[in-house]
Amino acid sequence: MSGQVMPCSPQEIGSLFLFEKLTPEQLGRLCSEGRVERFEAGPVYTEGEPATCFFVMIEGTVVLSRRVGGDDVEVTRTSQPGVYSGAMQAYLGDRVRQGYNNSMRVTEPTRFFVLPADTFAAIMQEWFPMAVHLLEGLFFGTKSTQRAIGQRERLLALGSLSAGLTHELNNPAAAAVRATATLRERVAKMRHKLGVISAGPYPREALANLIEVQERTAELVAKAPTLSPLEASDREDALTDWLDDHGIPDGWRLAPTFVQAGLDVDWLDQVAAEVDPEILPGAIGWLNYTVETELLMDEIEDSTTRISHLVDAAKQYSQLDRAPYQNADVHELLDSTLLMLSGKIGPRIEVVKDYDRTLPKIPAYPAELNQVWTNLIDNAVHAINSAGGEGTLTVRTALDHDRLLVEFRDTGPGVPQEIRGRIFDPFFTTKPVGEGTGLGLDISWRIVVNKHHGTLQVESEPGDTRFQVLLPLTATDDDTPEEPA
C-alpha cells in the first residue's frame, strides 16, 4: 500500500529517538534519500512480502501482527513517535531472505519516515561499520547457536528415548528368556511323567481318557477368566482342600497354577470321574505340567508381542519408513510417543487418554509432530516431578471449530503469570542448569506454527496447566500430503 508523499523536515526526524544523535549533514541525507509518507487507516505492508522499506513512525498509531494458523495475532500496538519496523535486517544483504516478518497497519492517519531498504543498508554500512559487524555477529551467532543446541536437544531426546526403549524392551525379552528356560524344564518333566504312567499296568482306555482330558485342559487354559485377588484366594483354598482329600501330594503347590489357568473344583471332579483312582495322583501331576507349559507359552507370546509392539511404536515414532508429509492419525502418533516415553513417565504418574476417535486424519509432518508431543510430555512430567512426583497427565483430542485440538494437561505447579509470555522464547527455561536448553518449546512452536500453520498456546493455574496444539484439518495450497506407504 502506498501513502501520500509529504515534505521531509530534517529537524522533525531529528527529534525521533532513533536519529537524535545524527549530525545535520546526516539528517539532510536521510531526507534527500528517504521520504515522509502519510497513510490512511488500513494496511501498510503484509507479512511475507519482500522487505523493501524501513519505516519509522513520526505520528499516529501503528499495530503489528503475526500470522498464526488462519488468524492474525496482534503483537504490538503503540502511538510512541520513533517506533520502527520493516526491513530492519537489510544490512545483512542477500545472506538472509529479506521479507517482512510481521504485518503492519495503522488505525488512524499516520506519518512515517520511509527509507528504501537498499539505502538503509548502505547508510548502516557507511555510518556504523562497527555496529554492523556486531549486529551481524549477533544475528548469525544466534542462528548458529540455535542450530547447534537444537541438534543437541534432539540428540538428548534421542538418547533419553533410546534408554527408555532399551529398558522397555529388556523387560519382555528377559521374561521370554526365563519362560523359555522354564518351559524346557517342564516339558522334560512332562515327558518323564508320561513315561512313568505309560509304563504302569494301566489299560489302553485309561490312557486314552487321560490324553482326552489333557486336550480339554489345554483348551480351558486358553479361555481362563480374570479373577480378583479375593476370588483367586478362595479358589486356591477350595482346590487345595480337594487335592488333600484325594491324597494328592503337595496340593498347596499345585492349586495356584490351576487357579491361574482358570480351573476349579468342577474340573477336578471331571478328571477324577474319567481317570482310574490308582492313576489319579500321577494324572494330576502330569496335567499340572500341561497347564504350566500352556501358561509359559502364553507368557512367551505376550512377551514377544510386547517386543513387536515396541518396535512398531519406534517405527511409528521415527517415521523412518513413511513419507515426510502425509495424512496422519494423531492418535497413532500420540500413542507411539507415550509408549516411547513410558519409562520416563514412570509408574507414579497416571496417564489418561481422552481421545475423540471420530476425528479425521490430518495433513502433517508426523515425525516432527512426534517431536512436539515429546517436548510437551517431557515438560509435563518435569512439572509433576517438581511437585512431588505424583500426578496426572491427560492427553485430550477434540474438534475445535475447523481445527483439531491436541491438549496436554498436567497437575503440576503451573506456569507463573510473569513468565508465561516468555516460555516460547529461544533459550528460556525454568529447569535447573544442565537439565534444559530452553529450545524445546521454541522448536515445538516453530513446528506447529511455521510448518503446520497451526497454533500452540498455554493456559495455566496451579494444579492445571494445559498446552494446546491446534492444527488445521486441511492442507494449504502449497502442501501436498501423501498417503502413508
Side-chain angles (χ1 to χ4, degrees):
M1 177 178 177
S2 298
Q4 176 187 358
V5 179
M6 306 182 71
C8 178
S9 165
Q11 291 76 21
E12 183 177 46
I13 64 171
S15 67
L16 304 175
F17 65 83
L18 194 62
F19 303 133
E20 61 185 0
K21 299 296 183 181
L22 298 183
T23 65
E25 291 77 12
Q26 290 173 323
L27 293 173
R29 180 177 173 183
L30 287 179
C31 268
S32 64
E33 299 192 26
R35 61 188 183 273
V36 171
E37 287 191 47
R38 183 178 185 273
F39 290 84
E40 299 298 326
V44 178
Y45 63 75
T46 302
E47 180 179 351
E49 293 178 346
T52 58
C53 295
F54 178 69
F55 295 84
V56 184
M57 189 180 75
I58 300 173
E59 62 176 355
T61 301
V62 66
V63 176
L64 298 180
S65 62
R66 292 291 303 271
R67 190 74 173 171
V68 179
D71 303 320
D72 283 316
V73 179
E74 182 176 317
V75 294
T76 301
R77 179 185 292 259
T78 181
S79 299
Q80 180 184 355
V83 295
Y84 52 89
S85 187
M88 293 185 294
Q89 296 172 348
Y91 60 88
L92 296 172
D94 296 335
R95 286 172 290 176
V96 298
R97 178 181 175 274
Q98 295 292 338
Y100 293 121
N101 60 10
N102 53 38
S103 296
M104 184 166 72
R105 61 187 175 89
V106 295
T107 59
E108 60 180 330
T110 301
R111 286 192 304 134
F112 291 96
F113 172 69
V114 182
L115 198 60
D118 292 343
T119 304
F120 175 57
I123 286 177
M124 285 288 290
Q125 296 283 354
E126 180 181 339
W127 292 354
F128 313 108
M130 182 176 178
V132 167
H133 286 308
L134 291 172
L135 289 170
E136 287 176 343
L138 177 63
F139 179 85
F140 291 111
T142 301
K143 288 287 187 184
S144 177
T145 303
Q146 282 184 321
R147 282 195 299 268
I149 297 185
Q151 292 171 352
R152 178 66 174 171
E153 180 97 356
R154 292 181 175 88
L155 287 174
L156 288 173
L158 180 60
S160 176
L161 287 171
S162 298
L165 179 61
T166 302
H167 175 75
E168 292 295 317
L169 285 170
N170 182 65
N171 290 335
V177 171
R178 288 194 304 269
T180 302
T182 307
L183 178 63
R184 185 186 301 275
E185 177 188 343
R186 295 297 184 270
V187 170
K189 289 184 177 181
M190 188 166 62
R191 289 198 304 265
H192 174 72
K193 181 69 72 173
L194 180 59
V196 171
I197 294 174
S198 61
Y202 308 116
R204 181 183 300 273
E205 292 77 11
L207 295 177
N209 287 341
L210 183 58
I211 296 297
E212 185 180 350
V213 170
Q214 182 194 37
E215 293 294 331
R216 294 206 307 269
T217 300
E219 292 176 2
L220 289 173
V221 174
K223 303 173 183 177
T226 301
L227 302 177
S228 68
L230 183 59
E231 291 172 332
S233 178
D234 291 342
R235 186 174 290 190
E236 282 184 23
D237 292 340
L239 288 175
T240 301
D241 291 342
W242 191 99
L243 294 170
D244 291 343
D245 292 343
H246 288 75
I248 309 297
D250 297 331
W252 60 270
R253 183 178 60 82
L254 302 177
T257 303
F258 290 152
V259 170
Q260 185 181 355
L263 306 177
D264 54 16
V265 171
D266 290 341
W267 170 76
L268 288 173
D269 287 337
Q270 293 175 22
V271 174
E274 298 188 30
V275 176
D276 294 338
E278 65 272 15
I279 201 177
L280 182 60
I284 292 294
W286 187 54
L287 291 174
N288 175 64
Y289 291 138
T290 299
V291 170
E292 284 189 328
T293 56
E294 290 294 324
L295 293 174
L296 287 168
M297 285 189 288
D298 287 344
E299 185 177 347
I300 293 171
E301 182 181 14
D302 290 343
S303 299
T304 52
T305 300
R306 169 75 173 165
I307 292 171
S308 177
H309 286 166
L310 285 166
V311 172
D312 287 343
K315 290 173 63 180
Q316 173 70 254
Y317 181 85
S318 64
Q319 296 286 310
L320 289 177
D321 60 344
R322 303 183 180 224
Y325 188 71
Q326 59 177 270
N327 288 315
D329 184 345
V330 293
H331 303 111
E332 292 180 358
L333 305 182
L334 290 167
D335 285 341
S336 67
T337 304
L338 286 168
L339 185 56
M340 293 288 287
L341 293 173
S342 58
K344 188 167 192 176
I345 294 172
R348 299 178 65 194
I349 298 177
E350 179 186 5
V351 177
V352 176
K353 298 179 183 179
D354 182 10
Y355 291 168
D356 179 358
R357 294 286 187 178
T358 65
L359 294 173
K361 292 183 177 181
I362 61 170
Y365 294 87
E368 300 198 27
L369 283 184
N370 281 339
Q371 188 176 2
V372 174
W373 313 150
T374 300
N375 291 335
L376 297 182
I377 292 171
D378 181 71
N379 283 351
V381 170
H382 180 269
I384 294 173
N385 287 336
S386 69
E390 290 188 1
T392 302
L393 168 62
T394 303
V395 183
R396 182 171 73 95
T397 62
L399 187 65
D400 187 293
H401 297 95
D402 60 344
R403 294 188 292 180
L404 187 148
L405 167 69
V406 182
E407 180 182 80
F408 298 85
R409 177 185 179 187
D410 69 73
T411 55
V415 182
Q417 179 67 39
E418 59 269 19
I419 67 170
R420 206 168 297 169
R422 301 170 56 200
I423 60 175
F424 296 110
D425 293 348
F427 307 112
F428 179 80
T429 180
T430 59
K431 295 179 181 178
V433 175
E435 290 189 21
T437 61
L439 284 178
L441 288 178
D442 173 59
I443 291 171
S444 299
W445 192 91
R446 292 173 186 275
I447 291 172
V448 172
V449 176
N450 294 345
K451 295 209 70 170
H452 290 86
H453 315 295
T455 303
L456 175 57
Q457 59 196 31
V458 61
E459 298 177 0
S460 183
E461 59 184 46
D464 185 3
T465 296
R466 307 181 186 203
F467 280 88
Q468 298 172 329
V469 178
L470 291 159
L471 300 168
L473 298 176
T474 56
T476 57
D477 293 340
D478 55 344
D479 293 328
T480 54
E482 302 175 23
E483 286 298 326

